Amino acid sequence: MTSVPTRVAATLSFRNIGAVYVWLAIAVLFSVWAPDTFPTVITVKQVLNGNAVAGLVALSVVPPLAARVFDLSVAYTMSLTSVLTAHFLVSTGLGPFAAIALAMGAALLVGVVNALVVVVLRVDSFIATLATGALIQSVITMVTNDSSITGVQLLAKPFASLAQLDAGGITLPVLYLLLAALAIWFVLEHTATGRRLYATGFNADAARLQGVRTDRLRAVTLVASALLSGFAGVVFASSVGSGSPTAGTPYLLSAYAAAFVGATQLRAGRFNAWGTVLAVLLLGTGITGLGLATSAQWAASLFTGSVLIVALVLTGGRIALPTVLRRRTATPPDPEHPTRRSDDESRSVPAGGART
């Protein structure tokens, strides 16, 4: 039985929570670089509040990815609910609750269409959801004529309170992010549905032979993804006071980046909620720090790309490196019997395989 110190060491190891140590290093770096502006409570609140919507979009892609399904329509769905909510509030005179309900109904429809195309028609999810995104963009253009929708209705309560209400400087979207992460974490880690999702993602054919309804699970993840990204669009419209036809565009790459980096943390090899949130905050801290320390517009993109490459290389290498080291330190051949294999080599010969 593993001892407590061993379990603690494994939990706190770089292999398990490397992003936390990188996050702390980034915080120390910017605290030295911009000591007057970065290490403040205001900066902490800015990182949390400024990345809550990005976190919601990133979490929306976690369930489909757990089942090895790509949903590239999340950014378009976010834009759609943003402009529809604004349109219904400003142009039709509907109340905020009715406007939000109709916008979320549109998001639900997107999820159902994605599920039909991917699961029923058997179109590759990467291509199918990209095509769905193009259809959504045409609807957005038809509604907005590629112009943002603004109006006093978007700035009035209770709609504005949906994202702008705060407690101690922490806005409601941060709470939404925590609740969404908690719900996804619970489903994936503590329910039979979560175990079946991971089984579907690891080997769909084997899961199907074990009686797992893989098609149904994939359909459900696509619907859930559309609903969560749609809610992110509503929150975005509330936070900025307008409906933007390109609201979700900047979030697509960062969402998948956070999900993939998050899959290397806490539950290595599995897409998970808290690892994704950690990755979102790591990237958000770096971008905020660069904004406080320098005015170069290209710095944020350079930082994001560099962190992603380094994180993926390190996390990929941490799996392969021990194997390489074991091979290099394997027992050398006996000089008197140069053709004798080491123990590792002997075990690697497949059963029935011929020796040379």
Side-chain angles (χ1 to χ4, degrees):
M1 187 174 183
T2 307
S3 63
V4 173
T6 302
R7 290 198 298 269
V8 171
T11 301
L12 299 178
S13 67
F14 186 87
R15 179 188 182 108
N16 190 50
I17 55 171
V20 173
Y21 299 118
V22 175
W23 189 15
L24 293 175
I26 290 172
V28 171
L29 172 64
F30 286 113
S31 295
V32 175
W33 191 355
D36 297 330
T37 55
F38 184 82
T40 64
V41 176
I42 295 176
T43 300
V44 174
K45 295 177 181 179
Q46 182 179 348
V47 170
L48 292 174
N49 296 334
N51 292 279
V53 172
L56 288 173
V57 181
L59 286 175
S60 73
V61 304
V62 170
L65 286 175
R68 285 299 186 270
V69 177
F70 284 87
D71 186 358
L72 298 183
S73 67
V74 290
Y76 301 96
T77 305
M78 177 183 170
S79 299
L80 177 67
T81 54
S82 171
V83 300
L84 286 181
T85 303
H87 172 73
F88 290 133
L89 278 173
V90 175
S91 302
T92 65
L94 290 176
F97 297 105
I100 292 172
L102 289 174
M104 291 303 296
L108 175 62
L109 179 61
V110 170
V112 172
V113 170
N114 281 337
L116 288 174
V117 175
V118 173
V119 177
V120 178
L121 300 181
R122 302 293 179 183
V123 179
D124 181 82
S125 62
F126 194 94
I127 302 300
T129 55
L130 193 61
T132 304
L135 296 177
I136 296 171
Q137 188 60 51
S138 67
V139 175
I140 293 172
T141 302
M142 180 179 64
V143 172
T144 66
N145 198 26
D146 286 335
S147 300
S148 295
I149 300 175
T150 58
V152 293
Q153 297 89 337
L154 298 171
L155 303 175
K157 296 180 179 180
F159 181 72
S161 300
L162 183 66
Q164 298 179 23
L165 191 66
D166 70 276
I170 303 298
T171 57
L172 277 179
V174 177
L175 177 61
Y176 305 149
L177 174 63
L178 293 177
L179 291 176
L182 184 64
I184 294 173
W185 165 78
F186 180 79
V187 170
L188 291 180
E189 302 294 340
H190 296 281
T191 67
T193 299
R195 291 190 291 272
R196 290 165 184 158
L197 269 177
Y198 281 133
T200 300
F202 288 137
N203 192 325
D205 292 333
R208 192 179 300 110
L209 291 174
Q210 292 296 321
V212 177
R213 296 180 176 180
T214 56
D215 287 344
R216 176 180 296 182
L217 287 174
R218 286 173 168 167
V220 169
T221 61
L222 286 168
V223 173
S225 175
L227 288 174
L228 187 52
S229 59
F231 179 68
V234 174
V235 173
F236 179 86
S238 175
S239 64
V240 301
S242 69
S244 171
T246 58
T249 304
Y251 292 100
L252 183 59
L253 177 60
S254 62
Y256 274 92
F260 274 93
V261 172
T264 67
Q265 304 298 309
L266 305 178
R267 299 284 287 171
R270 295 186 179 187
F271 294 98
N272 65 90
W274 296 119
T276 301
V277 172
L278 176 61
V280 168
L281 294 178
L282 185 155
L283 294 172
T285 300
I287 292 173
T288 301
L290 286 171
L292 294 173
T294 178
S295 59
Q297 295 183 352
W298 47 264
S301 299
L302 177 64
F303 170 79
T304 301
S306 300
V307 168
L308 291 178
I309 292 173
V310 171
L312 294 176
V313 167
L314 286 178
T315 52
R318 75 184 183 191
I319 298 172
L321 186 58
T323 303
V324 174
L325 292 177
R326 282 197 299 269
R327 289 175 180 173
R328 291 183 178 177
T329 58
T331 305
D334 189 336
E336 296 183 0
H337 302 279
T339 59
R340 181 179 298 171
R341 296 171 181 262
S342 66
D343 292 339
D344 286 347
E345 290 174 321
S346 298
R347 284 192 294 268
S348 67
V349 176
R355 294 176 181 265
T356 55

